Amino acid sequence: MIQVVSITSKIKTAGARLAWARTQAGIHTVSGGAEALKVPPGTYAGHESGNRAFDYEVARLYAAGYGVRWEWLLSGEGDPIGGGRVVPLSAIDQLHQVRDELRTIWLALGNTSDLDDDGTLTPIREALNGSTNRLEDACQSMERAG
């Protein structure tokens, strides 16, 4: 279990927050963090040292692996754990895969009128957003029960 201490509010950089999350997860070396998260060692080391910035997608990967909020990793705002819902990356990946499959079927049927500018189907996107929220709620309930 990760222990949250008030020191987290004083960690100023995303790389330092990533290092803190890694050590709180019981992984004591940078190479161990890279190996645990299946990230190239040089990339991971650059992220922790601050020599390479990381984006939202990478922050979500790190957060899921270490049990912290991706928002906290990027911004340092709020509590690293509390108030956030951790949704497994595998579940998000499955939702994206379903979305893509539904889009392919929709287009194969000759439908294009419900496509947004970004090529996303409005009804499907709305349904997936609802499913994601329900999944997050279910994960939060399981965490409270656990």
Side-chain angles (χ1 to χ4, degrees):
M1 182 71 161
I2 296 177
Q3 296 178 356
V4 179
V5 293
S6 62
I7 190 79
T8 59
S9 64
K10 307 230 185 276
I11 303 173
K12 299 296 181 196
T13 67
R17 287 187 291 276
L18 180 59
W20 179 89
R22 174 181 48 76
T23 58
Q24 292 300 305
I27 302 170
H28 300 290
T29 64
V30 172
S31 61
E35 183 178 335
L37 297 173
K38 297 178 176 48
V39 175
T43 300
Y44 185 85
H47 290 160
E48 266 203 26
S49 70
N51 291 332
R52 293 180 72 167
F54 54 93
D55 63 13
Y56 155 83
E57 293 294 329
V58 174
R60 286 191 63 101
L61 170 74
Y62 291 159
Y66 292 148
V68 298
R69 293 176 45 245
W70 66 267
E71 301 93 340
W72 176 80
L73 276 177
L74 288 177
S75 70
E77 294 181 14
D79 186 359
I81 300 166
R85 292 179 242 162
V86 177
V87 177
L89 286 179
S90 60
I92 294 169
D93 290 341
Q94 287 175 347
L95 286 173
H96 284 281
Q97 186 177 18
V98 169
R99 177 204 59 206
D100 293 344
E101 290 171 6
L102 289 172
R103 181 179 184 276
T104 300
I105 292 167
W106 185 261
L107 293 174
L109 293 172
N111 299 305
T112 58
S113 61
D114 287 338
L115 287 177
D116 284 347
D117 291 338
D118 64 358
T120 305
L121 294 170
T122 303
I124 292 173
R125 186 183 63 240
E126 290 170 359
L128 285 176
N129 287 340
S131 296
T132 301
N133 292 337
R134 287 192 304 278
L135 178 62
E136 289 175 350
D137 291 342
C139 289
Q140 186 178 29
S141 295
M142 289 175 11
E143 288 172 354
R144 276 184 264 155

